[in-house]
Amino acid sequence: MSIINSILKAFVGDKSQKDVKSIRPIVDKINQFYNSFENLSNDELREKTISFQEKIKQARFGQDSKIASYREELEKTTDIDKRENIYASIDTLEKEAYTLSEKALFDILPEAFAVVKETARRFTNNNELVVTATAQDKLFAQTKGHVRIEGDKAIWSNTWEVAGKMIPWNMVHYDVQMIGGTVIHQGKIAEMQTGEGKTLVSTSPIYLNALAGNGVHVVTVNDYLAKRDCQWNAPLFEFHGLTVDCIDNHQPNSSGRREAYQADITYGTNNEYGFDYLKDNMVIHKEQMVQRELNYAIVDEVDSILVDEARTPLIISGPGDKSTHLY
């Protein structure tokens, strides 16, 4: 069999090498943007995020406007057939808007990845980053020790608490991590060796997909990794005004967990995500649900979660007075 594979490779080539080769031009664009960002001020670098978010909104503006109009119409009519038609139209428009968002994300991918890389470089090379304080900076300063406000400035330290220890940020993305991030954004599996910085790889596609404002779920295999990675990577995203939380920090079905799901970026374990999904499908009122509409997820240790862990079903049971045709 190995001989056959060798012969096939000789004629067809190695698929993974072809995939990497196809991504190489994207990495070159990322590095071009990265080099050009060196002369930007911290405020100018942060303005890139606002620019990206505006591009995405503009890309889907027509569909979003029609959806809003249809929702207003729903409030005014009680006719069942008419409401059914409106819901069908909304579903179609939402699919179109999603497709347009995806195209916009692919268009800005090189520049957005470069923003993350440049942010990592600045935290690595500077003990503090000084920026004009925004309302979000002031909120962060109330709960995060590495952010403080002095006058109209916000000072971000490059050292923050990770798993009970104060750790300085000292990582900048290599090309292999940009390749891995691109593969993940494309919805594929990026297989990387130990030591190639898998945790850092995820930061670029997380940031990119969080720009759409529909939420990003980062799925890990245990609560230690979920909490650690959340604390470790969060300042890279928060520096650009994005919100980050971990569901494992909050009790199930609590207001804290509901708020964690509303964050731009949500970390958590596969079991907690799964049980929350099951519980949300058992509630009577929509307000009792904790998760919002599912959008985009990155799965760490994908072989463990989607193969090994998937062998154990998630089951929710409760007392019942008597058997019914449903149970």
Side-chain angles (χ1 to χ4, degrees):
M1 193 69 177
S2 59
I3 297 175
I4 295 173
N5 287 337
S6 299
I7 295 172
L8 286 174
K9 279 188 178 182
F11 286 97
V12 181
D14 186 274
K15 185 180 184 305
S16 62
Q17 290 180 356
K18 285 185 175 181
D19 290 342
V20 170
K21 187 176 180 180
S22 69
I23 294 171
R24 193 72 231 186
I26 298 175
V27 175
D28 291 339
K29 287 183 180 179
I30 294 170
N31 287 328
Q32 288 173 9
F33 280 115
Y34 172 66
N35 293 329
S36 69
F37 289 165
E38 188 173 359
N39 296 324
L40 295 180
S41 68
N42 291 330
D43 284 342
E44 288 171 335
L45 182 64
R46 299 217 298 181
E47 286 170 5
K48 290 289 181 182
T49 298
I50 299 172
S51 173
F52 295 148
Q53 291 169 329
E54 188 59 33
K55 286 180 181 178
I56 296 168
K57 286 180 182 178
Q58 288 299 320
R60 52 180 291 158
F61 177 77
Q63 281 69 21
D64 285 339
S65 298
K66 291 177 183 178
I67 290 171
S69 177
Y70 276 129
R71 293 198 186 282
E72 289 179 6
E73 195 173 342
L74 278 174
E75 298 293 327
K76 300 174 183 176
T77 182
T78 56
D79 184 274
I80 295 176
D81 291 334
K82 190 174 182 180
R83 289 175 67 88
E84 195 70 30
N85 291 332
I86 292 173
Y87 278 123
S89 298
I90 290 175
D91 287 342
T92 300
L93 287 168
E94 285 180 340
K95 290 177 182 177
E96 291 175 1
Y98 182 83
T99 300
L100 291 170
S101 294
E102 282 294 289
K103 184 181 182 305
L105 289 175
F106 274 110
D107 289 342
I108 66 175
L109 184 150
E111 192 173 3
F113 276 31
V115 165
V116 178
K117 184 174 180 178
E118 176 63 14
T119 305
R121 185 192 68 80
R122 295 192 184 198
F123 273 124
T124 298
N125 295 343
N126 301 277
N127 292 328
E128 293 181 340
L129 298 181
V130 181
V131 293
T132 302
T134 64
Q136 192 65 58
D137 288 325
K138 294 174 182 177
L139 287 175
F140 287 145
Q142 294 175 12
T143 58
K144 301 181 184 298
H146 58 276
V147 185
R148 69 181 190 276
I149 305 296
E150 293 183 4
D152 65 343
K153 300 296 182 183
I155 294 92
W156 288 71
S157 170
N158 77 333
T159 302
W160 47 81
E161 185 176 345
V162 180
K165 297 179 181 179
M166 298 302 294
I167 297 179
W169 182 269
N170 60 358
M171 297 181 291
V172 182
H173 305 70
Y174 290 101
D175 284 359
V176 67
Q177 290 157 342
M178 294 287 98
I179 292 171
T182 304
V183 169
I184 291 172
H185 177 70
Q186 292 173 341
K188 301 173 183 176
I189 295 174
E191 183 180 9
M192 305 188 73
Q193 300 298 319
T194 301
E196 284 190 311
K198 288 182 286 186
T199 302
L200 188 60
V201 166
S202 68
T203 56
S204 300
I206 288 172
Y207 168 79
L208 175 65
N209 285 275
L211 294 171
N214 297 320
V216 171
H217 290 169
V218 185
V219 187
T220 62
V221 74
N222 61 60
D223 62 344
Y224 169 78
L225 287 176
K227 294 174 183 177
R228 187 205 68 178
D229 289 356
C230 179
Q231 293 172 338
W232 202 351
N233 294 330
L236 280 186
F237 312 125
E238 292 170 340
F239 182 74
H240 293 283
L242 301 175
T243 54
V244 186
D245 208 338
C246 177
I247 59 173
D248 292 75
N249 288 330
H250 310 282
Q251 290 296 315
N253 202 37
S254 65
S255 59
R257 180 161 291 198
R258 193 172 287 106
E259 289 174 9
Y261 276 114
Q262 292 300 316
D264 293 309
I265 300 160
T266 305
Y267 283 81
T269 52
N270 55 307
N271 284 343
E272 290 299 317
Y273 282 124
F275 279 120
D276 284 341
Y277 179 82
L278 292 177
K279 291 172 185 174
D280 279 357
N281 279 274
M282 296 172 67
V283 301
I284 298 174
H285 303 289
K286 188 175 181 180
E287 296 73 24
Q288 296 173 312
M289 298 173 68
V290 295
Q291 292 184 342
R292 59 166 159 171
E293 189 173 347
L294 304 179
N295 174 55
Y296 179 85
I298 291 177
V299 182
D300 187 19
E301 303 289 350
V302 67
D303 52 341
S304 176
I305 290 175
L306 296 187
V307 179
D308 300 334
E309 292 286 319
R311 297 170 187 268
T312 305
L314 303 181
I315 300 172
I316 291 181
S317 61
D321 295 333
K322 58 182 179 179
S323 299
T324 70
H325 68 287
L326 294 176
Y327 302 101

